[in-house]
Amino acid sequence: LNIADTPLYKAISGKTVKGEEVHIVRKDGTERFASCNGTSIYNKMGKVIAAFVVYVDITDKRMLENKLQQAHKMEAIGTLAGGIAHDFNNILGIILGNTELALDDVPDWNPARQNLDEVVKACLRAKDVVRQILSFSRQSKFELKPVNIASVVTETLKLLRASIPTIVEIRKNIRDDVDAILGDATQLHQIIINLCTNAAHAMEEKGGILNIALGNMAMDADAATKYDGLNPGRYVKLEVSDTGEGIDPKLKDRIFDPYFTTKDVGKGTGMGLAVVHGIVKGHKGMIAVESEPGKGTPFRLFFPAVDEGPVEQKKRKENLSTGDERILFVDDEESMVNLNHQRLERLGYKVTP
């Protein structure tokens, strides 16, 4: 600080100091914030002869305010993103549905069929983007049921090995007795892919070690206070860490923002960590990151453990229903009404749109 900007100097100069916040860096490099109140002491001639300034440490209060602001910002962005995604999803459904209807009427030899196939592929890619946005905003509908997260992690790592450069060594430490959690296997799969891909990108030039650890953790009251939103209890802890360059402290508070990325053009959209954040919150869990420049980045995820065992999924074939009954189809989007009118009639139904 410029000496003239310090509360003490202002008080000595006869200025009022009330509730002024200052940023303090200690000798050991740690940072603190203080609220200052100061008063000037005058002699009988009305001249300032001394000053009295009280510094009150408000670092914890400031950190809580910052976390609250961040939570409100993420909630607002999530609500906006979710609304946009739902609207876009309706438009996408109309485009995809009409394209599929057109494909039914276009013979294989017609050159237009290839163009329509490309439209379908693009729509399906856009559908995945919408799913990511809805995952971030926690508005996507997925069923939480007991899941063996250890098997999900193991299977995902098998798939990832082929896409991660060989200069990155993958080390895993997955305990045999990991508890089940209430989750969605597809969403958990997405979390692991995003975190591991980000870690690999951080080491793609010099190489390094990607560590994945999974185990049970009993969190007492003291431990829970270190993590926002967690209560004492049993958790499954997933840690994904790398030995890369770490995260700049100035950027740490922004890494979960949608479309924020430090990667070069074409190497990422900035949605990865935003999606991870949304999915973890949707699983009633918590994600924490601790990083120092040059010392790598560990992401720690905590999911509440449950006693129930994982539910086995039974695969079943489903054929499109056909019939000759009458169906009343109602929608507030005229294009959607017209589309499904045609779809249902082609399956044999009589439709009143």
Side-chain angles (χ1 to χ4, degrees):
L1 281 176
N2 187 318
I3 188 66
D5 293 329
T6 60
L8 184 59
Y9 186 89
K10 290 178 182 178
I12 290 174
S13 303
K15 296 178 182 178
T16 302
V17 179
K18 188 174 182 180
E20 184 172 324
E21 289 192 14
V22 294
H23 177 213
I24 298 168
V25 180
R26 292 173 168 175
K27 288 181 180 179
D28 62 1
T30 58
E31 300 181 48
R32 308 296 291 180
F33 293 92
S35 176
C36 303
N37 290 288
T39 184
S40 306
I41 301 173
Y42 298 86
N43 62 14
K44 294 179 180 178
M45 304 297 293
K47 184 178 179 181
V48 178
I49 58 171
F52 184 70
V53 179
V54 176
Y55 286 74
V56 179
D57 192 334
I58 59 168
T59 306
D60 293 341
K61 178 187 174 186
R62 184 76 174 269
M63 290 174 65
L64 285 173
E65 288 175 348
N66 289 341
K67 288 178 180 177
L68 184 61
Q69 288 176 359
Q70 179 73 2
H72 285 164
K73 180 178 74 172
M74 296 296 284
E75 185 177 354
I77 294 174
T79 302
L80 175 64
I84 293 172
H86 278 299
D87 288 342
F88 183 63
N89 214 31
N90 288 336
I91 298 169
L92 200 59
I94 294 167
I95 297 171
L96 182 59
N98 280 288
T99 305
E100 289 174 338
L101 286 175
L103 277 168
D104 289 342
D105 298 329
V106 175
D108 292 340
W109 54 263
N110 194 314
R113 190 172 184 88
Q114 183 178 354
N115 300 117
L116 293 172
D117 282 335
E118 290 300 319
V119 174
V120 171
K121 289 178 185 176
C123 285
L124 294 176
R125 286 200 301 270
K127 179 183 174 184
D128 289 335
V129 173
V130 172
R131 188 183 294 114
Q132 283 194 330
I133 295 173
L134 290 174
S135 295
F136 159 71
S137 65
R138 304 196 292 281
Q139 294 185 30
S140 54
K141 294 180 181 178
F142 53 89
E143 184 183 356
L144 297 181
K145 51 192 174 185
V147 173
N148 181 354
I149 187 172
S151 64
V152 175
V153 173
T154 302
E155 289 300 318
T156 307
L157 291 179
K158 288 179 183 177
L159 295 172
L160 276 171
R161 178 65 275 184
S163 61
I164 291 178
T166 53
I167 59 171
V168 174
E169 179 187 349
I170 298 178
R171 293 181 184 174
K172 60 180 181 179
N173 179 17
I174 301 174
R175 293 180 60 95
D176 297 329
D177 60 347
V178 178
D179 291 330
I181 68 169
L182 283 179
D184 177 271
T186 302
Q187 299 277 328
L188 294 170
H189 174 83
Q190 192 170 4
I191 285 177
I192 300 158
I193 286 180
N194 284 344
L195 289 178
C196 291
T197 302
N198 271 2
H201 281 157
M203 302 181 285
E204 62 183 352
E205 291 185 5
K206 300 179 181 178
I209 300 169
L210 169 59
N211 280 298
I212 299 95
L214 185 71
N216 299 324
M217 181 177 182
M219 194 171 293
D220 58 21
D222 290 337
T225 57
K226 298 178 183 178
Y227 302 102
D228 290 335
L230 289 190
N231 297 315
R234 291 168 43 235
Y235 289 87
V236 173
K237 178 184 175 184
L238 170 65
E239 181 169 332
V240 178
S241 61
D242 62 68
T243 56
E245 292 300 318
I247 300 172
D248 188 328
K250 296 177 182 177
L251 305 178
K252 190 176 173 183
D253 291 336
R254 299 186 60 196
I255 60 173
F256 294 113
D257 290 359
Y259 298 110
F260 174 77
T261 181
T262 57
K263 297 174 187 172
D264 295 334
V265 176
K267 289 192 175 182
T269 62
M271 277 301 292
L273 288 179
V275 168
V276 168
H277 184 275
I279 295 174
V280 172
K281 291 296 181 184
H283 282 67
K284 313 298 182 187
M286 186 266 173
I287 181 169
V289 56
E290 297 174 8
S291 179
E292 294 181 34
K295 294 186 178 180
T297 305
F299 282 87
R300 298 184 179 96
L301 287 69
F302 302 89
F303 299 99
V306 293
D307 294 325
E308 301 101 309
V311 178
E312 291 185 12
Q313 292 191 359
K314 295 180 181 179
K315 295 183 179 180
R316 62 180 184 181
K317 278 191 173 182
E318 290 188 3
N319 296 319
L320 281 175
S321 298
T322 58
D324 57 2
E325 296 88 353
R326 179 166 295 280
I327 292 176
L328 171 66
F329 187 89
V330 182
D331 197 282
D332 61 353
E333 189 78 46
E334 187 177 355
S335 298
M336 193 65 78
V337 172
N338 295 333
L339 167 64
N340 287 287
H341 183 185
Q342 295 179 64
R343 273 179 163 172
L344 292 168
E345 281 192 335
R346 291 189 183 194
L347 293 173
Y349 296 101
K350 303 178 185 69
V351 184
T352 300

